[in-house]
Amino acid sequence: MTLPFAIIAGLTVGSAIAAMSLRNLVHCALSLVLTFAGLAGLYLQLNAEFVGFTQILVYVGAVSILIVFAILLTRSTEPKDEPATVTPWIGIAVAISAFLTMALAVLASPVGKRAASPMGEVSVKTLGQKLMTDYVLPLEVMALLLTAAMLGAVIIAMKDKEGSR
Amino acid sequence: MTPLSGYLLVSALLFCIGLAGALTRRNAIMVLIGIELMLNAANLNFIAFWRFSENPETMTGLMFAVFSIAIAAAEAAVGLALIITIYRHFRTANVDQVEEMKG
Amino acid sequence: MLGTGILKGMLETAKNFAGSYHDPARLTTVEYPEQRIASKENARQFPFLVHDTEDPMKGLRCVACQICEKECPPQCIYIVKSKDKRADYKGQMQLYPVTFDIDLSVCMSCQICVEVCPFESIKMDTEFELSNTDRFGGLLVNKHQLAKSNDHYRKIHPSEAAASDAALAVEVAKAQAKAKADVEAKAKAAAEAKAKADAAAAATPVGAVPSAPQPSSPATGPAAAPAA
Amino acid sequence: MAELFAKLDALPVTLKHLLMGLLPGATPEWLVSVVSAVLTITPILAVFPLMFALTTVIERKGLGRIQNRIGPNRVGIPLTDIRLYGFGQFIADGIKSLIKEDVVPRAADKVVHFLAPIALLIPVLLTYSVLPFGKSMVPLDLPQTGLLFFFAVGASTELSVFMAGWSSRNKYSLLGAMRAIAQMVSYEIPLILSSLTVVMITGTLSLTAIVQSQSGVHFGFLHNWHLFTPWGLVGFFLFLTAAAAEANRTPFDLPEAESEIIAGYFTEYSGFKFAIFFLAEYLGLFAMCGLGITLFLGGWLPPLNIAPLTWIPSWCWFLGKLSALIVLFIWLRGTLPRLRTDQLMAFAWKFLLPMTLINLVVAALWYLLRDSLPLYARWPLCFAMLAVPYWLLGRGFEAKFTKREYRYA
Amino acid sequence: MPLETLEQILARAGAAVPGAQLSLVKNDSPCAQHSLAVDVEHAYAVAQFLRDDPQLRLDYCSNVTGVDYLDAELSEKVKVKKLVDGVEKEVEEVKKTQRAGYLEAVYHLYSMALKHGPVILRQRTPGRADPVRVTSLTPLWRSAEFQEREVFDLYGVLFDGHPDLRRILMWDGFKDYPMRKDYVEPDDYEYEPTPHDEVLARAKAHQAAQEVGA
Amino acid sequence: MDAPANRTVQSVGQGREGELLEVAMGPQHPSTHGVFRMDVVLDGETVVKLKPVFGYLHRNHEKIAENTSYLGSMPYTDRLDYFCSLSNNWAYALSVEKLAGLQVPERAEYIRLITAELTRVLNHTCLAGFLLQDMGALGTPLMYAFREREKILDLIESLTGARMMCNYMRFGGCRCDLPPGWLDEAKKVVAEYPKFLDEFDALLSGNEILMARTQGVGKLSAELAISAGITGPMLRASGVDYDLRKVDNYGIYSRYPFRVPLGDHGDVYDRYMIRMLEMRESLKILEPALNDIPDGPVVDPKAKLRGFRPKPGEAYGRIESPKGELGFHLISDGSPNPYRYRVRPPSLINLTILEDMCLGQTIADAVITLGSVDIVLGEVDR
């Protein structure tokens, strides 16, 4: 385990914990952004530059903004909005047991010890070519999904506005 | 170089943090954030397994991650639109208080 | 076509940008402490008191009539009359102000005090650099600070001062004429009385002719002013 | 002679190598890379903030002249009469903002309020790491993802704006942040799409490669800059428009519209934090202009491949082009009023977006026809294909307002 | 189109609004802008008549003023025919009458359509004791909205039927009505060493009183 | 039939209280032209409620006037609408002349007309600059306007001695005669003014952004405008032909033919353009008036400066000030002080329907609508 990895991983996990545990929702969202950025750093370490920068562009630039807007629009910034849950321990227990299971599996598996094979830079050109050849069907489906999601989001938000008038 | 297990452990941790959050928090937005975290943990797995695979040139994991990010973005947009709609209707974003689902 | 109006506007600003370098009519700014615009002849800032003699306090034209104090819309003038009298420029015995204060922080430069003053004694100054660190006392000016010579008045408002001087000269001339007439009348009366007395009692010896005092003309009085 | 100029061109690089050579041989590798990084970053951190400082003065002087005023011309060397034409102003401003009281509203979220300006400045500075400032002068050459890096990092400034606006607990701040985010998100799309034409034609995301691809010459004099193609010309203006909106410049300065919402998201910032916002805003503008130069104006290439022009160092060309664009933005600022929120959005979605999409198609056509049609035929054809939609879309906007005739009683 | 005389208007308005007590108020100044006084109960109907009558069409209410008249002893010179030494002569006598104070709201009405005016309408209150009520004409002329609020603010006249009768120039917590003739300045002098010793003395006394009170 | 009162506050914001944002714009806000406040309720950026709040500058001018002589109020009228003190002077002088039955000499009438029209040009020039400033043009139009205003202010200063607080007119005339050479300077300024107007037109009147921002914004119907007592350019922008210079024929306006421009839409653009056109008409009055001015006294010799006591009675005098109908209602009881002194402030009354114009539009529109109303807080608050 190298030092950069340790720093980034620690940052990612720590901010993820903060994102799930802070009272103020905007603070949660901001911690979440830090998690996303940390993940992008991990991707870069894994030589996945394209995915790493896409992660920043999409998550930091778009998804987090959406979340923040939703928080503001639903007036959830005030902590009073959220009463303490009745049974937080059940959820936490489930999560811890799940983690233990996975960690045991990972540590036991021989795959985990595998070292990375040397490789050249991933060219964006090849990635694009693959998208247009091998993965053209998923790409089309994705385009359809995005269009549908956009239309759906717009219609959901619009219908209610008219209904309230 | 960090071995694969390091990335997998981080991924597992993130997944479980997201899970815990989604299960314990009552605010719909926080639930969504938890789900986003879990998705990202999965993404990290894809990338890590791709990088440590025998033949990274095939780019399968990478492709999967790209698609996954796109789906996550769409999911977030629709999910948040729903939350806002629900908030407008019920005046709350708390999932427990939103019980009746008649329009 | 979209954008033509914007392009026209940009051309206009470009013209102004270039013009500000070679066309002095465009650039109206003055770099103040070094460059100054000559103040207009009619310009008015705050009032001052005109005096005629070397000693400002002795030559104040103000006779403490308190008309300005009464007419001042924001009530910023404060006058205390003297108990004694002294001769004014015409030689008449008049009161004079013991205290004459103007609160410049209240004064609104309206010039009504100047207009209502029947003695041409309060005028508007063009001094405007009055910034002061003392908010109250610094702008409350007394008669020593207010007194400025007639020459100063001639310098800042030449034509107005000329008219004022002329009016005063007329007044002085009138006063002198009146005094002269008084003297003559008195002399005449005295002469008549004398004649009567002579006629009545020719035997009595001739008494001294009552001598009337000559009006003392002020040294730098308005009568001496050059008629512009 | 030419060699001398080539040396001058490579001066910054040579200097860095010289300094690196001073390190003792036994220096560990990580220290070498740290020193190398520092030596790369320092000039950027020196040149661009200095440029910002000078721009603030030039902008005020330029606006002053446009408005028939003199502008700042007083501050020079203290205790002397030397005035330096007012160019000491930025130092005075800097000192003032440093020693000014830092007011934080009582209700503000102190931590986020403190972090926001930093979170804004860092991504903006990061964008400079991929810009090629001169021949072989790029701090971080990302051959596969250069442009993507620029946009990814640039996109994260939105969050800092939100942090600033939200943490101030001020309604104007919040309104300003909402406006800023909506505006940045909307204009990012035309910005990226107009840049994509270049990526499509050159087939690379590397900014160095994009500059290199513009180095040819047509007819012996016309440079091969993308600006001189129809799609590049239109793309450049679309890019500039979107960049102005991204950088909150007039006529798109709604997030800080002082007549409506005071100063937008940094209403509650004072002193040095305010200065950082100011700095970040201008650095963002410079970075945008730098990208525009790289993509469309041939980066650090001289306009003509003639001897005296090629002697001037490449980084001078870059800075010169940058200054020209900055002057253009100052000029615009001195002329135009501001748009309204809905008009801003309508302009992005109903005008810029269709135009960029059409521009993409035209660029593709330009590429496909490169062998079958000669340049003099291809150019007018492609230009007409862009001019007609421009006219039609413009008509759509102009239908909403007209010059009016007035009657007299 | 010239405006008919005030007497004609009075007669027609009186006919149109039965029960309205209209009277003519003479104005002695050279401009001779006489006015029409109307009782509070019928003010709205009369005003509506003035606005809608096709010959008048006073669609524009230019100015709304409040005026305060204190209780006063009026001395009037009246020419009385009297028998003086057996001959009937006109003799001037000073007649003294006690007038009860009242507040009034004055409306200057013009017509934008016919371009004539002004017709001045006055509503007088019976006395000065609070509450002083008159009828709001804001429903007829929007322009009266702020001006009636101002009269309320400065004179304390209540306008019945005003949609939004709040203070307009003074702050909401202010209690008195500053434009009334018997208004007394509150004693909250800021210390300012002005030449007016009187003010200074009062301010000092006030401050001393404050200190004692504290 | 009731006056049109299109209040739709309740219907717009109903049931969405949680999402509405209440903003108190002012009293210290860059666009409120002084200490003025708009209590705005916003739905996003849309205005659903707007209440103007003023009085921050209130000094009870009317009460002060009741405690000072007739002449003593003259300098206070300067401070009502401090852009157009000469118009205010005229309105007050006119009212007192009506009250006391004074005559004004011919030369003084000319001077009054000239100064009033210069003031109108000055006011409209500044308004155009301020309006564009509100619209976000970074000072450029405002500076051009100020550059031209400076020339007129110089004229006014050399005539009256002060740039803004002129205190120039007197009952039955003017305070002093024109200084030598003044007419020539004035002629020069008037002759050069159209050049500036053309420049301003080139800079802005055809600008797409300006048109997009102002057309259809802050609409005001003619019926509502009449009912709400709107006067001045704002009324004429709504298409109502009512200009006191024509209606009342005060002064010597009847001697000069000038046209009254009328708008058809009643929006901010019309208000802006009407003012631009009115300036050109004012210049058409000024040019011949500066040539025609006769010799003679400038003040009625019968008018008394001290001890002025009009007979008991009352008078309402009004003029077309640049902002609208400026009237003074005076009641005299025979004493040296007016018994009742009332200002009919056009700025205040033109604000009555601010909310009606702004509802349903964005906050940016509210700002420029307020700008197009052309208020001066000295006059609103008095």
Side-chain angles (χ1 to χ4, degrees), chain F residues 98-203:
Chain F
K98 271 191 171 182
L99 183 69
L102 292 170
Q103 292 301 313
V104 183
E106 188 80 356
R107 186 172 171 85
E109 286 284 20
Y110 270 91
I111 296 177
R112 285 182 174 191
L113 174 108
I114 289 165
T115 50
E117 288 308 308
L118 279 176
T119 308
R120 188 182 317 280
V121 172
L122 184 151
N123 179 71
H124 288 354
T125 308
C126 287
L127 175 99
F130 282 127
L131 185 59
L132 268 297
Q133 175 90 341
D134 285 345
M135 230 174 277
L138 200 114
T140 308
L142 183 66
M143 284 298 158
Y144 293 173
F146 272 23
R147 188 186 72 207
E148 299 308 310
R149 173 189 184 227
E150 201 66 15
K151 294 173 187 164
I152 297 180
L153 280 185
D154 280 348
L155 281 180
I156 290 178
E157 190 191 0
S158 65
L159 174 61
T160 71
R163 299 167 76 75
M164 292 171 85
M165 303 298 139
C166 302
N167 181 24
Y168 178 63
M169 299 201 187
R170 290 289 174 264
F171 314 130
C174 301
R175 197 184 70 214
C176 56
D177 204 351
L178 303 175
W182 191 86
L183 281 174
D184 297 328
E185 278 173 47
K187 276 177 203 162
K188 217 172 83 189
V189 169
V190 168
E192 277 178 4
Y193 218 81
K195 241 199 306 187
F196 158 72
L197 292 179
D198 293 340
E199 182 185 304
F200 214 76
D201 272 347
L203 175 65

Side-chain angles (χ1 to χ4, degrees), chain D residues 90-173:
Chain D
F90 68 86
I91 299 171
D93 285 348
I95 293 170
K96 180 190 138 202
S97 61
L98 262 175
I99 60 178
K100 229 178 147 179
E101 187 189 356
D102 180 32
V103 183
V104 182
R106 194 166 39 174
D109 192 317
K110 304 270 183 324
V111 180
V112 181
H113 190 266
F114 177 77
L115 287 176
I118 302 167
L120 183 64
L121 187 61
I122 289 175
V124 167
L125 283 175
L126 276 178
T127 52
Y128 283 85
S129 56
V130 288
L131 288 179
F133 304 115
K135 203 181 278 174
S136 68
M137 278 170 62
V138 51
L140 179 68
D141 194 9
L142 295 172
Q144 292 305 327
T145 48
L147 193 62
L148 187 64
F149 176 86
F150 189 97
F151 285 129
V153 172
S156 49
T157 53
E158 287 157 25
L159 211 73
S160 328
V161 167
F162 167 78
M163 283 163 74
W166 174 78
S167 68
S168 299
R169 292 288 159 86
N170 177 318
K171 284 162 183 170
Y172 295 120
S173 300

Side-chain angles (χ1 to χ4, degrees), chain E residues 20-66:
Chain E
Q21 298 163 22
L22 290 157
S23 57
L24 205 67
V25 181
K26 281 278 180 198
N27 177 4
D28 300 331
S29 80
C31 67
Q33 292 172 334
H34 308 299
S35 49
L36 212 58
V38 64
D39 60 326
V40 172
E41 283 73 34
H42 296 91
Y44 189 88
V46 170
Q48 194 165 22
F49 165 78
L50 293 177
R51 191 188 72 174
D52 297 340
D53 182 72
Q55 272 172 284
L56 293 169
R57 284 180 66 185
L58 299 166
D59 49 7
Y60 164 45
C61 171
S62 162
N63 181 33
V64 182
T65 319

